[in-house]
C-alpha cells in the first residue's frame, strides 16, 4: 500500500506546474522546460509501471527536445527492445500527467496509489540519459522523485548521452552478461566501420573531406570520442558547432532541422568556390542527420532523408542481386507524406523497390518496416531513420555457402547500422561506407534523381486538434470542406500535391506543397496556408 501522505508530499514538491494540459506527441512529451516538472514526475511512474508489466525488464527514459530551441525540453520512453513506448501506453501517460496538473489532491493520491500498488513484487529497472540542455538535471530530479520514492526503482543514470546512445544500453542490458557501458557503443560501431572499409580496401573518402555540424548539442561531445577510432575518418573529418556547453547556441543557426528547413548552410560553413567536401548536420540529440554539398557554382545542394533511403536501397539491392538473394529476401522503403515525389518514383520505377507510406513519426515507419520487409529502409525527409534487418535475413545470409564479397558485406551492414532507432553517427557511417565502396562523389549521389521543388510552411492555429487527417496523413477529414478546397487548389498547378498535418508538439499545422517549379510550389503553399487560416 502506498503512503498517501508521501504521495501528497511528492506531488507538492515536484509537480509545481498546475492547470496546464499536456499532449503526448509523435515521440513523447515536449514543451517549454519550465512547464515539464509535472510531466517528468508522471513519466517516472509510467516508466516504472511499464518495466513492472514486462517483469522488470529495463525501460529507457531520454530527457531531450531534439531539434527544438534550447528553452524547450521533453522526454521519450524506450521499450526494452530499443523501440519507442508502445502506443497503447501513450494515453495512460497523457492522462496521468493531466491528472497531476489539474486533478484534486484526493484523486491524485488515489490514482497514484492504485498504479503503484499494481506493481507489488517486481522491482522496476530504468535506464536514464539526457541531452545537454541546462534544464535536464532539474527535470531528472522530478523523474527520480517518483521512480525512486514510490517504486524503489533500480536506476542506471548514464548522464549526458545522445538519444541513440540511450537506446543502445536499453536494448542491450538483457543480452550482455555485464553492465552495458558507453564504451561498448563506441567499440561496436567503430569496429564495424573499420571491418567493412578494410574488406573493400577503402583508403579514403570519395570527396575532399567530411565536415560534421553537431548543432552545438550532445553529439558534438560524443563525436570527438568516436572519430579517432575510425580508420580513414580520423584524418579527413572536421567537426564544427560542437560547443554543447553554450546552452543558448543549441540548434541556433545550425543543425539538421535548420539546414533542411532553410535549405542553406549552417553557421560555421562559408560558400567556397571549388569546394568538393561532403557536409552533414546532426540535430540536438543526434538522432537525425542530413547531408549536403556545394556544386560547381557553389550552390547549396541538400541530400536529405529521401536521398539516404535511395542510396541505401540502391546499394543493398546490388548486394542482394550479387548474392543471388534478391528474389529470396524482401526489401522495401517506408516513407511519409513528406517524401519528395521524385524519390518515390525513383525507388519504384528505376530501382524496382516497393514503397510503403506511413504516418509521420519514426515509431510508425519502424512498425511498417518490421512488419513488411526482410530489409526495411525508412527515413523521414528530415533525416531521421535507419534500416531494419529481419531474423529471416540473418538466417538466410548466414547460411550462404558461397562467401562472396557481397555476402560478407551483407553480414557486416547490420553491425554498422543502429537498428533500434535513427542514429546520426551510425547513419553517417553507413552513408560514408556506401559512397566509398561505390566511389560516388557527393555530386554523383545528388544526380540520381531531381527533387520536385517544394516548401514546408508552419501555420499557427488556435486549436490543432480540429485538423484530423486520414490516408497516412495525406488527406483531411476535418475541418469539413477544407480538403476539397485543397484539391481544387492543387489542380491549378503542374505536378503538384499538397497536404496539411497538425503538429504533434504545438498549436500549429504543417503545410507541405510540391510542384513543377519553386514559384508554383511557393504559390500553392500560400494558397493552402490561407485556406487553413480561413477554416479556423
Amino acid at each position: 500500500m502506498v503512503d498517501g501522505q508521501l504521495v501528497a508530499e511528492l506531488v507538492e514538491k515536484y509537480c509545481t506546474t498546475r492547470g496546464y494540459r499536456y499532449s503526448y506527441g509523435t515521440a513523447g512529451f515536449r514543451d517549454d522546460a519550465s512547464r515539464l516538472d509535472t510531466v517528468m514526475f508522471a513519466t517516472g511512474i509510467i516508466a516504472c509501471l511499464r518495466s513492472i508489466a514486462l517483469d522488470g525488464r529495463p525501460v529507457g527514459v531520454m530527457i531531450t527536445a531534439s531539434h527544438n530551441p534550447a528553452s524547450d525540453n521533453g522526454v521519450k520512453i524506450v521499450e526494452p527492445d530499443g523501440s519507442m513506448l508502445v502506443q497503447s501506453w501513450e494515453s495512460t501517460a497523457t492522462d496521468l500527467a493531466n491528472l497531476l496538473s489539474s486533478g484534486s489532491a484526493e484523486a491524485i493520491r488515489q490514482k497514484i496509489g492504485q498504479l503503484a500498488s499494481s506493481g507489488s513484487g517486481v522491482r522496476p529497472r530504468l535506464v536514464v540519459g539526457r541531452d545537454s540542455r541546462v534544464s535536464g538535471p532539474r527535470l531528472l530530479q522530478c523523474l527520480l522523485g517518483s521512480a525512486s520514492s514510490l517504486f524503489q526503482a533500480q536506476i542506471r543514470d548514464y548522464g549526458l548521452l545522445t538519444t541513440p546512445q540511450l537506446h543502445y544500453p536499453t536494448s542491450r542490458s538483457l543480452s550482455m552478461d555485464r553492465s552495458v557501458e558507453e564504451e561498448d557503443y563506441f567499440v561496436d560501431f567503430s569496429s564495424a566501420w573499420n571491418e567493412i572499409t578494410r574488406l573493400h580496401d577503402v583508403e579514403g573518402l570519395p570527396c575532399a573531406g567530411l565536415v560534421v555540424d553537431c548543432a552545438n548539442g550532445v553529439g558534438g561531445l560524443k563525436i570527438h570520442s568516436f572519430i579517432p577510432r575510425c580508420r580513414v575518418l580520423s584524418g579527413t573529418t572536421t567537426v564544427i558547432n560542437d560547443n554543447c556547453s553554450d546552452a543558448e547556441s543549441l540548434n541556433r543557426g545550425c543543425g539538421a532541422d535548420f539546414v533542411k528547413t532553410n535549405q542553406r548552410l549552417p553557421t560555421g560553413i562559408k560558400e567556397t568556390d571549388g569546394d568538393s567536401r561532403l557536409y552533414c548536420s546532426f540535430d540536438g540529440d543526434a538522432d537525425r542527420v542530413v547531408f549536403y554539398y556545394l556544386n560547381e557554382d557553389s550552390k547549396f545542394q541538400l541530400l536529405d532523408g529521401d536521398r539516404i533511403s535511395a542510396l541505401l536501397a540502391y546499394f543493398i539491392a546490388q548486394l542482394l542481386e550479387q548474392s543471388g538473394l534478391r528474389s529470396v529476401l524482401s526489401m522495401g522503403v517506408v516513407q511519409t507524406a513528406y517524401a519528395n515525389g521524385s524519390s518515390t518514383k525513383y525507388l519504384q520505377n528505376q530501382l524496382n523497390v516497393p514503397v510503403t507510406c506511413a504516418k509521420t513519426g519514426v515509431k510508425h515507419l519502424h512498425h511498417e518496416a518490421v512488419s513488411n520487409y526482410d530489409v526495411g529502409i525508412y527515413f523521414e525527409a528530415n533525416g531521421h531513420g535507419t534500416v531494419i534487418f529481419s531474423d529471416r535475413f540473418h538466417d538466410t545470409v548466414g547460411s550462404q555457402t558461397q562467401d562472396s564479397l557481397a555476402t560478407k558485406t551483407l553480414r557486416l551492414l547490420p553491425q554498422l547500422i543502429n537498428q533500434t532507432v535513427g542514429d546520426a553517427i551510425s547513419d553517417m557511417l553507413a552513408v560514408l561506407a556506401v559512397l566509398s565502396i561505390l566511389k560516388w562523389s557527393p555530386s554523383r549521389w545528388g544526380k540520381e534523381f531531381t527533387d520536385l521543388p517544394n516548401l514546408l510552411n508552419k501555420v499557427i492555429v488556435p486549436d490543432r486538434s480540429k485538423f484530423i487527417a486520414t490516408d497516412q496523413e495525406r488527406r483531411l477529414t476535418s475541418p469539413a470542406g477544407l480538403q476539397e478546397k485543397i484539391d481544387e487548389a492543387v489542380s491549378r498547378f503542374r505536378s503538384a500535391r499538397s497536404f496539411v498535418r497538425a503538429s504533434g508538439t504545438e498549436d500549429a499545422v504543417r503545410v507541405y506543397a510540391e510542384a513543377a517549379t519553386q514559384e508554383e510550389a511557393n504559390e500553392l503553399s500560400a494558397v493552402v496556408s490561407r485556406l487553413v487560416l480561413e477554416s479556423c
Side-chain angles (χ1 to χ4, degrees):
M1 182 66 68
V2 175
D3 183 344
Q5 181 61 35
L6 173 62
V7 171
E9 292 173 358
L10 292 172
V11 171
E12 178 70 21
K13 179 178 179 180
Y14 294 110
C15 301
T16 61
T17 302
R18 307 304 298 272
Y20 186 75
R21 185 152 191 86
Y22 296 102
S23 176
Y24 198 99
T26 55
F29 294 106
R30 196 173 296 175
D31 212 316
D32 187 284
S34 64
R35 294 194 284 257
L36 288 176
D37 51 0
T38 301
V39 155
M40 299 308 296
F41 187 83
T43 298
I45 296 173
I46 296 300
C48 285
L49 291 175
R50 184 61 184 154
S51 177
I52 289 167
L54 297 170
D55 296 321
R57 295 175 67 194
V59 167
V61 180
M62 181 66 191
I63 302 172
T64 180
S66 188
H67 60 281
N68 281 37
S71 58
D72 287 354
N73 216 323
V75 62
K76 302 176 182 180
I77 303 176
V78 180
E79 292 282 304
D81 64 357
S83 62
M84 298 305 295
L85 178 70
V86 292
Q87 283 185 260
S88 59
W89 279 67
E90 292 179 3
S91 59
T92 303
T94 303
D95 292 345
L96 179 59
N98 286 323
L99 176 64
L100 289 167
S101 173
S102 304
S104 68
E106 181 57 31
I108 291 171
R109 283 196 295 269
Q110 288 184 3
K111 184 62 175 179
I112 292 180
Q114 173 192 347
L115 292 173
S117 297
S118 68
S120 58
V122 177
R123 188 183 184 192
R125 294 172 59 190
L126 301 187
V127 177
V128 181
R130 57 185 171 85
D131 71 14
S132 56
R133 296 164 195 269
V134 294
S135 58
R138 176 181 64 83
L139 295 177
L140 174 63
Q141 292 309 306
C142 298
L143 173 83
L144 299 179
S146 57
S148 298
S149 301
L150 295 176
F151 295 91
Q152 291 73 55
Q154 179 182 344
I155 300 171
R156 174 68 188 272
D157 178 11
Y158 282 88
L160 289 174
L161 290 180
T162 68
T163 290
Q165 284 186 300
L166 186 278
H167 283 250
Y168 180 89
T170 305
S171 63
R172 296 294 180 92
S173 293
L174 290 181
S175 62
M176 298 181 71
D177 57 3
R178 57 177 176 80
S179 62
V180 184
E181 305 299 332
E182 184 178 6
E183 176 71 8
D184 296 315
Y185 171 91
F186 292 127
V187 169
D188 275 5
F189 291 108
S190 62
S191 297
W193 162 266
N194 290 335
E195 192 169 352
I196 200 168
T197 54
R198 284 196 183 99
L199 178 66
H200 287 271
D201 297 321
V202 173
E203 296 301 332
L205 298 177
C207 55
L210 174 70
V211 179
V212 184
D213 158 31
C214 297
N216 291 316
V218 67
L221 180 66
K222 304 304 179 181
I223 197 73
H224 285 294
S225 297
F226 193 84
I227 292 297
R229 304 165 186 261
C230 299
R231 60 185 304 273
V232 179
L233 295 185
S234 57
T236 58
T237 302
T238 302
V239 178
I240 64 171
N241 298 324
D242 56 344
N243 185 10
C244 70
S245 61
D246 180 5
E248 295 306 312
S249 67
L250 176 66
N251 294 318
R252 177 176 288 180
C254 57
D257 189 64
F258 174 86
V259 169
K260 167 67 175 172
T261 302
N262 295 281
Q263 301 278 305
R264 55 178 287 196
L265 296 170
T267 300
I269 301 175
K270 296 180 180 179
E271 294 183 359
T272 305
D273 291 336
D275 190 353
S276 58
R277 290 178 293 179
L278 178 64
Y279 302 88
C280 70
S281 288
F282 299 170
D283 64 338
D285 64 336
D287 64 357
R288 298 183 187 182
V289 62
V290 296
F291 294 82
Y292 43 101
Y293 66 99
L294 297 170
N295 66 14
E296 56 273 13
D297 298 319
S298 294
K299 184 180 178 182
F300 172 90
Q301 302 290 318
L302 180 67
L303 300 162
D304 62 6
D306 295 340
R307 299 279 180 174
I308 298 172
S309 285
L311 175 69
L312 295 176
Y314 177 99
F315 183 65
I316 296 173
Q318 268 197 353
L319 295 177
L320 292 173
E321 191 73 45
Q322 294 164 5
S323 300
L325 298 175
R326 184 74 188 267
S327 61
V328 177
L329 295 170
S330 62
M331 184 187 78
V333 172
V334 185
Q335 297 182 327
T336 71
Y338 289 112
N340 194 278
S342 290
S343 71
T344 307
K345 291 178 182 178
Y346 170 80
L347 290 164
Q348 293 174 326
N349 300 337
Q350 291 187 236
L351 300 187
N352 196 28
V353 171
V355 177
T356 304
C357 186
K359 291 173 63 176
T360 300
V362 290
K363 62 186 177 185
H364 302 299
L365 286 90
H366 190 96
H367 173 76
E368 290 295 325
V370 170
S371 301
N372 294 312
Y373 305 112
D374 292 314
V375 181
I377 303 168
Y378 71 84
F379 279 85
E380 293 185 301
N382 61 29
H384 196 181
T386 188
V387 184
I388 303 297
F389 300 90
S390 70
D391 290 340
R392 185 168 178 269
F393 170 90
H394 290 290
D395 292 342
T396 303
V397 173
S399 64
Q400 294 299 294
T401 55
Q402 185 180 4
D403 214 15
S404 65
L405 181 62
T407 303
K408 291 177 181 177
T409 307
L410 284 173
R411 292 195 187 115
L412 283 172
L413 271 181
Q415 300 172 40
L416 182 65
I417 298 172
N418 188 344
Q419 297 173 62
T420 59
V421 69
D423 183 339
I425 294 176
S426 169
D427 290 338
M428 179 190 75
L429 293 180
V431 165
L432 293 175
V434 172
L435 292 176
S436 298
I437 293 167
L438 293 176
K439 295 181 172 56
W440 281 13
S441 65
S443 61
R444 171 66 179 82
W445 178 17
K447 291 175 181 175
E448 274 299 281
F449 59 86
T450 301
D451 280 338
L452 281 168
N454 59 87
L455 183 67
L456 178 60
N457 187 32
K458 181 172 76 171
V459 180
I460 304 299
V461 296
D463 183 4
R464 72 180 185 272
S465 67
K466 292 182 179 179
F467 293 83
I468 302 172
T470 187
D471 187 26
Q472 309 300 356
E473 303 179 312
R474 289 176 287 191
R475 297 186 64 79
L476 290 172
T477 58
S478 175
L482 178 55
Q483 185 59 55
E484 288 74 17
K485 293 178 180 178
I486 294 173
D487 291 343
E488 192 280 327
V490 168
S491 69
R492 303 201 300 265
F493 298 88
R494 296 172 298 155
S495 302
R497 68 184 181 99
S498 180
F499 66 91
V500 173
R501 171 184 169 268
S503 168
T505 57
E506 57 185 325
D507 271 328
V509 298
R510 314 290 182 188
V511 174
Y512 180 85
E514 192 176 271
T517 67
Q518 192 62 58
E519 291 75 14
E520 289 179 284
N522 294 347
E523 186 178 348
L524 176 58
S525 174
V527 171
V528 175
S529 297
R530 186 168 62 250
L531 291 172
V532 166
L533 289 173
E534 291 172 353
S535 72
C536 294

